[in-house]
Amino acid sequence: MTTFTALLSHYRRHPWQGAALALLMLLATTLWTGIHHLTSEARASLGQSERAVEARHQVQRIDGAVLTVEDFVSLRRQGLCLMPWLEVLPEGESRRVIGVDPLAALCFQRQGDVASFDGQPLRGDPFLDIADAAALPARQSQLFLIVAPNTGVLPEAYRITSFSLAPDTGQLGDSFLLNLDALSVLVLLITGLLLRSVYLLSLSQRRDSFALLNRFGVPVRRVRWHLVAELVCLALLTLIPGILLGQLLANGLAGGFASVMEGLFDSRQFATSGNNWLVPTVVMMALLLLVCAADWLIPDKLRKASVFVIRSGLLALLFIVVGTGGVWLAPNLLWLFVSVALGLAGAGLLMPWCLSALSSRMSRASHQPLRRWWWAEFGVLCRRLALPLVALQLALAMVLAVQALVTTFEATFDHWLGQRLSADYYLEVPTGADAEIAAHWLTQNLPATSGARWHRVLRGQGRIGLDSQSRSVDVFALAPVGSLVTEWDLIEQTEQPWQQLAAGHGVMLNEQLAYRQGLAAGDQIQLELAGQSMSVPVLGIYPDYGRPAGEVLMAGDLLPDDFSVAFESFSISPGSVGIETITEALAGIWQQPALTLRDNRSIRDLANRVFDQTFMLTRAMTLLTLALAAVALLLMGWVFLATRLWYFRLLEVWGLERAAIFLRLLTLALAVSLSAAVLALPVGVGLTWVLVQRINPLAFGWSLPMELYPGFWLELLALALVIGVCIALLMRRQLGRPAVRPSVTGTVTGEER
Amino acid sequence: MTEMLLTVRGLRKSFGSDESAVPVLAELAFKLPAGGSLALMGRSGSGKSTLLNILCGLERPEAGELILFGQDYRRADWQQLRRERIGVVFQEANLMPTLSLLDNVRLRAALAGQPQSRGQHWLDTLDIGELAQRFPDQVSGGQRQRAALAMVFAMAPALILADEPTGSLDRVTADDVADSLFRLQAETGCGLILATHDPELASRCQRTLDLAHRAVDRDAGPPLP
Ligand SMILES: Nc1ncnc2c1ncn2[C@@H]1O[C@H](COP(=O)(O)OP(=O)(O)OP(=O)(O)O)[C@@H](O)[C@H]1O
Ligand SMILES: [Mg+2]
């Protein structure tokens, strides 16, 4: 039997410890790989396709209409060097492919343009031949025309703009990914704590065998190398299934994720190639070695000194102060996350210190010996379970903050949606139908006395800003500006904004646009519609949680006559008239057999679905982590208390009733688990504030009110209660069994205290 | 006639289920007068600890008679007896590791309804008064056993059950601890039953009961050739 097998025999005697380590590793790897897979693919999708169009330009129609093959043909005939770029979202897929024409790209090369698709395999990750792309059954497809620089003079109806894949909202999408990254780092931290706690437990149980090996002449260094080898084996065993499961998880979430990235951030997701296993392998391996073998990697002297500092609680306070200051002042997301990490580390260090200080103070203060014993025992539990306790505390805080954010968002979003959808029905104007006649009919036939309200919405494209920095925005023109919109909450406004808007004396902007352009109510902006430029004041800023694209809201009268309307609809609350009367009349006017009518509820459902998907990933991650931390504390609490079974039996020998002993056990277990939950509350509230007031504006472009949900706190406290009760119940089964006298080593080294 | 602390007759105990039951104690009989001392001897596994467990109510006998302080064991309030009248000392781990020696003694006294203020007195009596504020891991094994004795005497017991109380100590220390035990037993006049492998220690008791020969072996018949 070699030293190695002798060491491994520990796990044969304590199979659950090996299993717990392996399970923790597996879950951590799965979670982290899954998230990493999603975010890195989203980034790769952007990077890969963006490289191909780096510093390129595209042709657009001045009237804002969508380009067609006819445009391509006519421009090509005029001798312009153009490359068609067809983005297709195939049926049943969540990510797009790009059809390109390598032959058309040849003229780019002649002009000294380096990047081309010559020699690059067109396999659909994301590029493929335009003929194949056009042949795909598509859910959506859009044609762009990329033009070589200095290509010559364009016809009147076209202009050249820069071409990038997500120019306006790319940063927001990036921030969303960064948010997920930060969350996954937090998850990594928590699972790291759990791994360490289980591993330290197994180490402490093996101390006797290490001492024995030492006495047999095996040097300490050799034992350590064997332990490292053991960890590497464990990692190899768990990494492969973990990474596979992580990719499965990523695939399961990919659909929702892609639709969030596209729907919420206008960041089109393209198919990418390549498997991502190297980074997770390295990261998880490093995590395991770091948390388990850190004690040998750090020199003894330094460790003793740092332990002293940590015990003193000063370092914890320092971390918290610096972290809080950093959160306040951080100029960007990265610094913000670093500050948050510092603050959380401080909170994690402070908790064991606080509980330890509390227990020794209370123990000293109580004159009743049994109570003194209880407090002393509580102190030991807190010290010995510090790692899983901190993990649970952080997990609880994280869940609390995410829950508050999501609930606040849900409530705000719902309120906002309610205002936005104040009309009962939405009626799309069919292509080719004349909305003017319909509007005329509505004016004639819906008298004010009927209580009916309606307006017509014209959508199209415009640009704001001056020539070089101008950016494209969505234009929403309302006619008439009526009570369906005048009840909207505005974030900022000038005097009588709606009257001014109705009179055509200005426009309103959505929050995202105002936030990114640094615009406020009262500012003057340059607006370009159908090639005509005008200067108008900003009358108000309205919240928009749905889309990050810039929006401009205005009265219909302000639109130039040749404005190209991309989409038109009516919002109608029929009042006493009845919607059937209206639809029948309009169908008659437009000579359409049926009209697309959507009611409020279906739109709300759709919006809520998008909403749920946005946070599904976040919620799933936090809840899984919480479950992990809860189970870990449960197991560790049980195992640790079981090592103290002898002392509970001693109480029985001294004449205490079983029930009385169980009561003490129960109160101890409850006190420990509830402490974690109670101390998680301030951390969670702080984290909520950081999320809604700091991270959200930086990451998503909008801020939320700070709301607290004490009802949810109670749920978390109840969870802690359940953990405590479960530990006590597991222990009760053991109280009836004979207790093993603790080993002499434990008594002598003072590790029981 | 002297009053009997303890009368045992026909006591039987085995472990395991009916078929595979391993008899540990069989037809055991002895008496302990007030203030008397009895040593239990026998090789490992002969049932010394089992008997002590039965005598303090932590295990139930299968059959036989056990009269403790003039009362049948079936009617005894064992919790109260252990709390106030029967002191138990094990080979080690008799103290709560999280409490100082003094707090351990006070805890034991408080459970027995004795004044806590006498805690220091008992530590002094056992020559470890100056270690009162130390924790169990900060003192030697012999000092821990002294503290364990201080705890037992602080409860003013009528009967002390000691399971190899000096089993993990060296000769000199063991003798010192035993000296203290017998001296205080004589002073307080309580009964003492002591399980030990040490013939010298056993010889200091008034009587010796050898379980190996009385119980299992006799009933199991002659040893196989
Ligand atoms: N809970 C139990 N379940 C099953 N068998 C038991 C149990 N407790 C004790 N035994 C068995 O009963 C026998 C007597 O055990 P006991 O501990 O009383 O011996 P002992 O005389 O105290 O031995 P030692 O001198 O080694 O302490 C042993 O064979 C032991 O294996
Ligand atoms: Mg024994």
Side-chain angles (χ1 to χ4, degrees), chain A residues 369-370 372-373 377 380 646-647 652-656 741 744 747 750 753, chain B residues 79 82-83 91 93-98 103 107-108 111 116 135 137-138 151:
Chain A
L370 210 52
R372 181 171 282 204
W373 167 82
E377 206 68 15
V380 179
W646 171 267
Y647 298 109
E652 197 181 352
V653 172
W654 295 349
L656 239 63
R741 194 178 295 161
V744 188
T747 322
R753 179 155 67 81
Chain B
Q79 261 84 28
R82 281 202 300 271
R83 211 159 46 231
Q91 184 174 342
N94 286 293
L95 290 80
M96 287 295 175
T98 46
D103 283 335
L107 171 57
R108 192 69 192 85
L111 288 174
Q116 290 178 45
F135 286 91
D137 60 284
Q138 295 169 329
M151 289 170 71

mmCIF file of all heavy atoms in Angstrom, chain A residues 369-370 372-373 377 380 646-647 652-656 741 744 747 750 753, chain B residues 79 82-83 91 93-98 103 107-108 111 116 135 137-138 151:
data_model
loop_
_atom_site.group_PDB
_atom_site.id
_atom_site.type_symbol
_atom_site.label_atom_id
_atom_site.label_comp_id
_atom_site.label_asym_id
_atom_site.label_seq_id
_atom_site.Cartn_x
_atom_site.Cartn_y
_atom_site.Cartn_z
ATOM 1 N N PRO A 369 -24.407 28.775 34.681
ATOM 2 C CA PRO A 369 -23.376 27.998 33.974
ATOM 3 C C PRO A 369 -23.867 27.360 32.681
ATOM 4 O O PRO A 369 -23.130 27.322 31.697
ATOM 5 C CB PRO A 369 -22.989 26.923 34.983
ATOM 6 C CG PRO A 369 -23.401 27.442 36.298
ATOM 7 C CD PRO A 369 -24.576 28.323 36.068
ATOM 8 N N LEU A 370 -25.094 26.874 32.674
ATOM 9 C CA LEU A 370 -25.579 26.196 31.474
ATOM 10 C C LEU A 370 -25.723 27.190 30.320
ATOM 11 O O LEU A 370 -25.459 26.874 29.160
ATOM 12 C CB LEU A 370 -26.920 25.514 31.767
ATOM 13 C CG LEU A 370 -27.208 24.266 30.959
ATOM 14 C CD1 LEU A 370 -26.069 23.275 31.034
ATOM 15 C CD2 LEU A 370 -28.499 23.616 31.442
ATOM 16 N N ARG A 372 -23.944 29.889 30.051
ATOM 17 C CA ARG A 372 -22.565 30.196 29.674
ATOM 18 C C ARG A 372 -22.042 29.131 28.711
ATOM 19 O O ARG A 372 -21.401 29.433 27.713
ATOM 20 C CB ARG A 372 -21.710 30.248 30.935
ATOM 21 C CG ARG A 372 -20.272 30.580 30.673
ATOM 22 C CD ARG A 372 -19.535 30.825 31.942
ATOM 23 N NE ARG A 372 -19.821 32.157 32.460
ATOM 24 C CZ ARG A 372 -19.008 32.818 33.271
ATOM 25 N NH1 ARG A 372 -17.890 32.260 33.668
ATOM 26 N NH2 ARG A 372 -19.314 34.017 33.701
ATOM 27 N N TRP A 373 -22.350 27.888 29.051
ATOM 28 C CA TRP A 373 -21.943 26.792 28.175
ATOM 29 C C TRP A 373 -22.557 26.964 26.790
ATOM 30 O O TRP A 373 -21.894 26.806 25.765
ATOM 31 C CB TRP A 373 -22.384 25.455 28.780
ATOM 32 C CG TRP A 373 -22.299 24.313 27.816
ATOM 33 C CD1 TRP A 373 -21.181 23.597 27.514
ATOM 34 C CD2 TRP A 373 -23.355 23.782 27.009
ATOM 35 N NE1 TRP A 373 -21.470 22.651 26.569
ATOM 36 C CE2 TRP A 373 -22.799 22.744 26.239
ATOM 37 C CE3 TRP A 373 -24.703 24.073 26.860
ATOM 38 C CZ2 TRP A 373 -23.549 22.001 25.340
ATOM 39 C CZ3 TRP A 373 -25.458 23.340 25.969
ATOM 40 C CH2 TRP A 373 -24.883 22.316 25.216
ATOM 41 N N GLU A 377 -20.547 27.317 23.328
ATOM 42 C CA GLU A 377 -20.752 26.332 22.274
ATOM 43 C C GLU A 377 -21.155 27.025 20.963
ATOM 44 O O GLU A 377 -20.700 26.656 19.876
ATOM 45 C CB GLU A 377 -21.851 25.360 22.730
ATOM 46 C CG GLU A 377 -21.796 24.004 22.130
ATOM 47 C CD GLU A 377 -20.581 23.190 22.579
ATOM 48 O OE1 GLU A 377 -19.912 23.556 23.564
ATOM 49 O OE2 GLU A 377 -20.309 22.192 21.914
ATOM 50 N N VAL A 380 -18.085 28.346 19.297
ATOM 51 C CA VAL A 380 -17.321 27.316 18.585
ATOM 52 C C VAL A 380 -17.981 27.003 17.257
ATOM 53 O O VAL A 380 -17.326 26.931 16.209
ATOM 54 C CB VAL A 380 -17.251 26.021 19.421
ATOM 55 C CG1 VAL A 380 -16.485 24.960 18.652
ATOM 56 C CG2 VAL A 380 -16.601 26.277 20.737
ATOM 57 N N TRP A 646 -20.382 13.476 21.841
ATOM 58 C CA TRP A 646 -19.932 13.037 23.162
ATOM 59 C C TRP A 646 -20.317 14.055 24.240
ATOM 60 O O TRP A 646 -20.767 13.699 25.323
ATOM 61 C CB TRP A 646 -18.423 12.827 23.146
ATOM 62 C CG TRP A 646 -17.853 12.594 24.509
ATOM 63 C CD1 TRP A 646 -17.338 13.515 25.358
ATOM 64 C CD2 TRP A 646 -17.781 11.337 25.196
ATOM 65 N NE1 TRP A 646 -16.931 12.940 26.519
ATOM 66 C CE2 TRP A 646 -17.201 11.584 26.451
ATOM 67 C CE3 TRP A 646 -18.150 10.021 24.877
ATOM 68 C CZ2 TRP A 646 -16.965 10.598 27.381
ATOM 69 C CZ3 TRP A 646 -17.912 9.027 25.808
ATOM 70 C CH2 TRP A 646 -17.325 9.305 27.042
ATOM 71 N N TYR A 647 -20.141 15.338 23.925
ATOM 72 C CA TYR A 647 -20.389 16.357 24.945
ATOM 73 C C TYR A 647 -21.875 16.522 25.227
ATOM 74 O O TYR A 647 -22.273 16.832 26.343
ATOM 75 C CB TYR A 647 -19.734 17.673 24.545
ATOM 76 C CG TYR A 647 -18.240 17.521 24.431
ATOM 77 C CD1 TYR A 647 -17.615 17.549 23.207
ATOM 78 C CD2 TYR A 647 -17.486 17.266 25.568
ATOM 79 C CE1 TYR A 647 -16.245 17.359 23.111
ATOM 80 C CE2 TYR A 647 -16.119 17.062 25.483
ATOM 81 C CZ TYR A 647 -15.510 17.106 24.253
ATOM 82 O OH TYR A 647 -14.168 16.898 24.163
ATOM 83 N N GLU A 652 -26.199 14.355 29.268
ATOM 84 C CA GLU A 652 -27.157 13.330 29.668
ATOM 85 C C GLU A 652 -26.632 12.571 30.894
ATOM 86 O O GLU A 652 -27.383 12.281 31.826
ATOM 87 C CB GLU A 652 -27.409 12.376 28.499
ATOM 88 C CG GLU A 652 -28.672 11.562 28.680
ATOM 89 C CD GLU A 652 -28.902 10.611 27.526
ATOM 90 O OE1 GLU A 652 -28.170 10.691 26.524
ATOM 91 O OE2 GLU A 652 -29.815 9.778 27.651
ATOM 92 N N VAL A 653 -25.331 12.278 30.870
ATOM 93 C CA VAL A 653 -24.711 11.615 32.023
ATOM 94 C C VAL A 653 -24.864 12.486 33.265
ATOM 95 O O VAL A 653 -25.035 11.996 34.373
ATOM 96 C CB VAL A 653 -23.226 11.329 31.733
ATOM 97 C CG1 VAL A 653 -22.514 10.827 32.976
ATOM 98 C CG2 VAL A 653 -23.105 10.325 30.607
ATOM 99 N N TRP A 654 -24.839 13.786 33.077
ATOM 100 C CA TRP A 654 -24.965 14.703 34.207
ATOM 101 C C TRP A 654 -26.419 14.927 34.605
ATOM 102 O O TRP A 654 -26.720 15.789 35.415
ATOM 103 C CB TRP A 654 -24.322 16.052 33.882
ATOM 104 C CG TRP A 654 -22.842 15.943 33.687
ATOM 105 C CD1 TRP A 654 -22.049 14.873 33.973
ATOM 106 C CD2 TRP A 654 -21.978 16.933 33.146
ATOM 107 N NE1 TRP A 654 -20.752 15.120 33.657
ATOM 108 C CE2 TRP A 654 -20.664 16.390 33.139
ATOM 109 C CE3 TRP A 654 -22.174 18.228 32.670
ATOM 110 C CZ2 TRP A 654 -19.565 17.102 32.676
ATOM 111 C CZ3 TRP A 654 -21.077 18.933 32.210
ATOM 112 C CH2 TRP A 654 -19.778 18.366 32.209
ATOM 113 N N GLY A 655 -27.310 14.196 33.973
ATOM 114 C CA GLY A 655 -28.682 14.196 34.459
ATOM 115 C C GLY A 655 -29.660 15.097 33.731
ATOM 116 O O GLY A 655 -30.791 15.275 34.176
ATOM 117 N N LEU A 656 -29.248 15.639 32.569
ATOM 118 C CA LEU A 656 -30.213 16.444 31.811
ATOM 119 C C LEU A 656 -31.119 15.520 30.995
ATOM 120 O O LEU A 656 -30.659 14.506 30.478
ATOM 121 C CB LEU A 656 -29.451 17.375 30.859
ATOM 122 C CG LEU A 656 -29.713 18.854 31.052
ATOM 123 C CD1 LEU A 656 -29.243 19.262 32.435
ATOM 124 C CD2 LEU A 656 -28.964 19.658 29.997
ATOM 125 N N ARG A 741 -16.012 8.643 22.004
ATOM 126 C CA ARG A 741 -15.259 9.616 22.781
ATOM 127 C C ARG A 741 -14.310 10.347 21.845
ATOM 128 O O ARG A 741 -13.659 9.737 20.997
ATOM 129 C CB ARG A 741 -14.473 8.874 23.855
ATOM 130 C CG ARG A 741 -13.925 9.780 24.917
ATOM 131 C CD ARG A 741 -13.212 8.966 25.968
ATOM 132 N NE ARG A 741 -14.134 8.078 26.684
ATOM 133 C CZ ARG A 741 -13.732 7.017 27.374
ATOM 134 N NH1 ARG A 741 -12.467 6.709 27.410
ATOM 135 N NH2 ARG A 741 -14.590 6.269 28.009
ATOM 136 N N VAL A 744 -7.907 11.988 21.644
ATOM 137 C CA VAL A 744 -7.092 12.771 22.577
ATOM 138 C C VAL A 744 -6.488 13.973 21.871
ATOM 139 O O VAL A 744 -6.389 15.048 22.434
ATOM 140 C CB VAL A 744 -5.988 11.889 23.178
ATOM 141 C CG1 VAL A 744 -5.269 12.640 24.282
ATOM 142 C CG2 VAL A 744 -6.584 10.611 23.710
ATOM 143 N N THR A 747 -8.640 16.962 22.035
ATOM 144 C CA THR A 747 -8.716 17.545 23.369
ATOM 145 C C THR A 747 -7.465 18.358 23.656
ATOM 146 O O THR A 747 -7.518 19.404 24.295
ATOM 147 C CB THR A 747 -8.833 16.422 24.412
ATOM 148 O OG1 THR A 747 -9.659 15.404 23.880
ATOM 149 C CG2 THR A 747 -9.395 16.931 25.705
ATOM 150 N N GLY A 750 -6.858 21.746 21.402
ATOM 151 C CA GLY A 750 -7.779 22.833 21.647
ATOM 152 C C GLY A 750 -8.666 23.141 20.462
ATOM 153 O O GLY A 750 -9.297 24.193 20.399
ATOM 154 N N ARG A 753 -12.429 24.033 20.890
ATOM 155 C CA ARG A 753 -12.818 25.228 21.611
ATOM 156 C C ARG A 753 -12.872 26.415 20.659
ATOM 157 O O ARG A 753 -12.173 26.570 19.737
ATOM 158 C CB ARG A 753 -11.828 25.483 22.732
ATOM 159 C CG ARG A 753 -12.078 26.694 23.548
ATOM 160 C CD ARG A 753 -11.472 26.486 24.895
ATOM 161 N NE ARG A 753 -10.017 26.424 24.818
ATOM 162 C CZ ARG A 753 -9.238 27.499 24.753
ATOM 163 N NH1 ARG A 753 -9.771 28.690 24.717
ATOM 164 N NH2 ARG A 753 -7.926 27.384 24.699
ATOM 165 N N GLN B 79 -32.701 10.450 35.726
ATOM 166 C CA GLN B 79 -32.154 11.787 35.454
ATOM 167 C C GLN B 79 -31.782 12.486 36.762
ATOM 168 O O GLN B 79 -30.708 13.036 36.899
ATOM 169 C CB GLN B 79 -33.177 12.650 34.698
ATOM 170 C CG GLN B 79 -32.937 12.705 33.218
ATOM 171 C CD GLN B 79 -33.542 11.507 32.513
ATOM 172 O OE1 GLN B 79 -34.530 10.961 33.002
ATOM 173 N NE2 GLN B 79 -32.948 11.091 31.424
ATOM 174 N N ARG B 82 -28.740 10.846 38.428
ATOM 175 C CA ARG B 82 -27.457 11.209 37.820
ATOM 176 C C ARG B 82 -27.107 12.663 38.097
ATOM 177 O O ARG B 82 -25.957 13.035 38.201
ATOM 178 C CB ARG B 82 -27.503 10.976 36.306
ATOM 179 C CG ARG B 82 -27.325 9.528 35.896
ATOM 180 C CD ARG B 82 -26.855 9.450 34.462
ATOM 181 N NE ARG B 82 -27.797 10.066 33.554
ATOM 182 C CZ ARG B 82 -28.806 9.434 32.992
ATOM 183 N NH1 ARG B 82 -29.023 8.160 33.258
ATOM 184 N NH2 ARG B 82 -29.615 10.064 32.178
ATOM 185 N N ARG B 83 -28.198 13.475 38.171
ATOM 186 C CA ARG B 83 -27.958 14.901 38.387
ATOM 187 C C ARG B 83 -27.417 15.148 39.801
ATOM 188 O O ARG B 83 -26.498 15.914 39.997
ATOM 189 C CB ARG B 83 -29.254 15.669 38.164
ATOM 190 C CG ARG B 83 -29.052 17.052 37.635
ATOM 191 C CD ARG B 83 -30.281 17.603 36.968
ATOM 192 N NE ARG B 83 -31.497 17.390 37.715
ATOM 193 C CZ ARG B 83 -32.609 16.857 37.180
ATOM 194 N NH1 ARG B 83 -32.636 16.475 35.933
ATOM 195 N NH2 ARG B 83 -33.689 16.699 37.924
ATOM 196 N N GLN B 91 -12.568 7.760 31.517
ATOM 197 C CA GLN B 91 -11.112 7.771 31.348
ATOM 198 C C GLN B 91 -10.624 9.141 30.879
ATOM 199 O O GLN B 91 -9.592 9.621 31.286
ATOM 200 C CB GLN B 91 -10.739 6.704 30.323
ATOM 201 C CG GLN B 91 -9.261 6.546 30.129
ATOM 202 C CD GLN B 91 -8.968 5.375 29.214
ATOM 203 O OE1 GLN B 91 -9.816 4.508 28.998
ATOM 204 N NE2 GLN B 91 -7.766 5.333 28.694
ATOM 205 N N ALA B 93 -12.085 13.046 28.562
ATOM 206 C CA ALA B 93 -13.175 13.858 28.014
ATOM 207 C C ALA B 93 -14.348 13.959 28.981
ATOM 208 O O ALA B 93 -15.493 13.735 28.636
ATOM 209 C CB ALA B 93 -13.646 13.316 26.671
ATOM 210 N N ASN B 94 -14.032 14.305 30.225
ATOM 211 C CA ASN B 94 -15.080 14.500 31.229
ATOM 212 C C ASN B 94 -15.524 15.949 31.315
ATOM 213 O O ASN B 94 -16.456 16.256 32.030
ATOM 214 C CB ASN B 94 -14.549 14.108 32.613
ATOM 215 C CG ASN B 94 -14.440 12.613 32.758
ATOM 216 O OD1 ASN B 94 -15.440 11.916 32.775
ATOM 217 N ND2 ASN B 94 -13.213 12.120 32.841
ATOM 218 N N LEU B 95 -14.796 16.826 30.605
ATOM 219 C CA LEU B 95 -15.045 18.259 30.755
ATOM 220 C C LEU B 95 -15.564 18.841 29.450
ATOM 221 O O LEU B 95 -15.243 18.353 28.374
ATOM 222 C CB LEU B 95 -13.745 18.982 31.137
ATOM 223 C CG LEU B 95 -13.178 18.735 32.532
ATOM 224 C CD1 LEU B 95 -12.424 17.423 32.575
ATOM 225 C CD2 LEU B 95 -12.239 19.863 32.926
ATOM 226 N N MET B 96 -16.343 19.910 29.584
ATOM 227 C CA MET B 96 -16.769 20.639 28.399
ATOM 228 C C MET B 96 -15.577 21.449 27.888
ATOM 229 O O MET B 96 -15.026 22.270 28.626
ATOM 230 C CB MET B 96 -17.916 21.591 28.733
ATOM 231 C CG MET B 96 -19.215 20.881 28.977
ATOM 232 S SD MET B 96 -19.762 20.069 27.472
ATOM 233 C CE MET B 96 -21.199 19.206 28.085
ATOM 234 N N PRO B 97 -15.159 21.226 26.645
ATOM 235 C CA PRO B 97 -13.936 21.878 26.168
ATOM 236 C C PRO B 97 -14.068 23.393 26.076
ATOM 237 O O PRO B 97 -13.062 24.096 26.065
ATOM 238 C CB PRO B 97 -13.729 21.268 24.780
ATOM 239 C CG PRO B 97 -15.056 20.744 24.373
ATOM 240 C CD PRO B 97 -15.770 20.364 25.630
ATOM 241 N N THR B 98 -15.301 23.892 26.013
ATOM 242 C CA THR B 98 -15.477 25.330 25.814
ATOM 243 C C THR B 98 -15.522 26.107 27.130
ATOM 244 O O THR B 98 -15.618 27.328 27.099
ATOM 245 C CB THR B 98 -16.789 25.593 25.065
ATOM 246 O OG1 THR B 98 -17.804 24.798 25.664
ATOM 247 C CG2 THR B 98 -16.659 25.220 23.603
ATOM 248 N N ASP B 103 -15.502 26.880 35.490
ATOM 249 C CA ASP B 103 -16.872 26.895 34.963
ATOM 250 C C ASP B 103 -17.416 25.487 34.826
ATOM 251 O O ASP B 103 -18.613 25.249 35.032
ATOM 252 C CB ASP B 103 -16.919 27.613 33.616
ATOM 253 C CG ASP B 103 -16.864 29.119 33.785
ATOM 254 O OD1 ASP B 103 -17.254 29.594 34.862
ATOM 255 O OD2 ASP B 103 -16.422 29.807 32.848
ATOM 256 N N LEU B 107 -20.721 24.381 36.617
ATOM 257 C CA LEU B 107 -21.845 23.828 35.847
ATOM 258 C C LEU B 107 -22.348 22.536 36.495
ATOM 259 O O LEU B 107 -23.552 22.352 36.704
ATOM 260 C CB LEU B 107 -21.390 23.562 34.410
ATOM 261 C CG LEU B 107 -22.363 22.791 33.519
ATOM 262 C CD1 LEU B 107 -23.704 23.507 33.451
ATOM 263 C CD2 LEU B 107 -21.794 22.624 32.118
ATOM 264 N N ARG B 108 -21.381 21.657 36.844
ATOM 265 C CA ARG B 108 -21.777 20.379 37.434
ATOM 266 C C ARG B 108 -22.484 20.606 38.776
ATOM 267 O O ARG B 108 -23.500 19.970 39.068
ATOM 268 C CB ARG B 108 -20.522 19.512 37.620
ATOM 269 C CG ARG B 108 -20.801 18.063 37.944
ATOM 270 C CD ARG B 108 -21.397 17.384 36.735
ATOM 271 N NE ARG B 108 -21.948 16.061 37.087
ATOM 272 C CZ ARG B 108 -23.162 15.847 37.579
ATOM 273 N NH1 ARG B 108 -23.961 16.872 37.835
ATOM 274 N NH2 ARG B 108 -23.582 14.623 37.837
ATOM 275 N N LEU B 111 -26.036 21.937 38.257
ATOM 276 C CA LEU B 111 -26.989 20.900 37.845
ATOM 277 C C LEU B 111 -27.410 20.064 39.046
ATOM 278 O O LEU B 111 -28.561 19.638 39.148
ATOM 279 C CB LEU B 111 -26.366 20.002 36.773
ATOM 280 C CG LEU B 111 -26.195 20.632 35.395
ATOM 281 C CD1 LEU B 111 -25.436 19.699 34.463
ATOM 282 C CD2 LEU B 111 -27.570 20.962 34.805
ATOM 283 N N GLN B 116 -22.704 27.031 43.607
ATOM 284 C CA GLN B 116 -21.612 27.190 42.647
ATOM 285 C C GLN B 116 -20.382 27.792 43.303
ATOM 286 O O GLN B 116 -19.272 27.618 42.832
ATOM 287 C CB GLN B 116 -22.050 28.155 41.545
ATOM 288 C CG GLN B 116 -23.091 27.608 40.616
ATOM 289 C CD GLN B 116 -23.459 28.690 39.611
ATOM 290 O OE1 GLN B 116 -22.601 29.356 39.072
ATOM 291 N NE2 GLN B 116 -24.751 28.840 39.372
ATOM 292 N N PHE B 135 -8.491 26.468 30.214
ATOM 293 C CA PHE B 135 -9.423 25.577 29.520
ATOM 294 C C PHE B 135 -8.842 24.171 29.509
ATOM 295 O O PHE B 135 -7.627 23.994 29.644
ATOM 296 C CB PHE B 135 -9.652 26.083 28.107
ATOM 297 C CG PHE B 135 -10.517 27.310 28.067
ATOM 298 C CD1 PHE B 135 -9.958 28.579 28.123
ATOM 299 C CD2 PHE B 135 -11.895 27.188 28.010
ATOM 300 C CE1 PHE B 135 -10.760 29.708 28.116
ATOM 301 C CE2 PHE B 135 -12.693 28.312 28.009
ATOM 302 C CZ PHE B 135 -12.133 29.571 28.062
ATOM 303 N N ASP B 137 -7.949 22.127 27.344
ATOM 304 C CA ASP B 137 -6.823 21.818 26.460
ATOM 305 C C ASP B 137 -5.543 22.501 26.911
ATOM 306 O O ASP B 137 -4.489 22.266 26.345
ATOM 307 C CB ASP B 137 -7.161 22.218 25.030
ATOM 308 C CG ASP B 137 -7.461 23.682 24.897
ATOM 309 O OD1 ASP B 137 -8.585 24.092 25.295
ATOM 310 O OD2 ASP B 137 -6.616 24.436 24.420
ATOM 311 N N GLN B 138 -5.660 23.371 27.923
ATOM 312 C CA GLN B 138 -4.467 24.101 28.370
ATOM 313 C C GLN B 138 -3.835 23.476 29.607
ATOM 314 O O GLN B 138 -2.939 24.061 30.198
ATOM 315 C CB GLN B 138 -4.840 25.555 28.669
ATOM 316 C CG GLN B 138 -5.293 26.315 27.429
ATOM 317 C CD GLN B 138 -5.905 27.654 27.750
ATOM 318 O OE1 GLN B 138 -6.517 27.816 28.804
ATOM 319 N NE2 GLN B 138 -5.770 28.604 26.843
ATOM 320 N N MET B 151 -15.303 18.076 39.800
ATOM 321 C CA MET B 151 -16.699 18.209 39.350
ATOM 322 C C MET B 151 -17.584 17.212 40.058
ATOM 323 O O MET B 151 -18.691 17.530 40.481
ATOM 324 C CB MET B 151 -16.781 17.976 37.829
ATOM 325 C CG MET B 151 -16.176 19.088 37.012
ATOM 326 S SD MET B 151 -16.051 18.621 35.285
ATOM 327 C CE MET B 151 -17.761 18.656 34.809
#
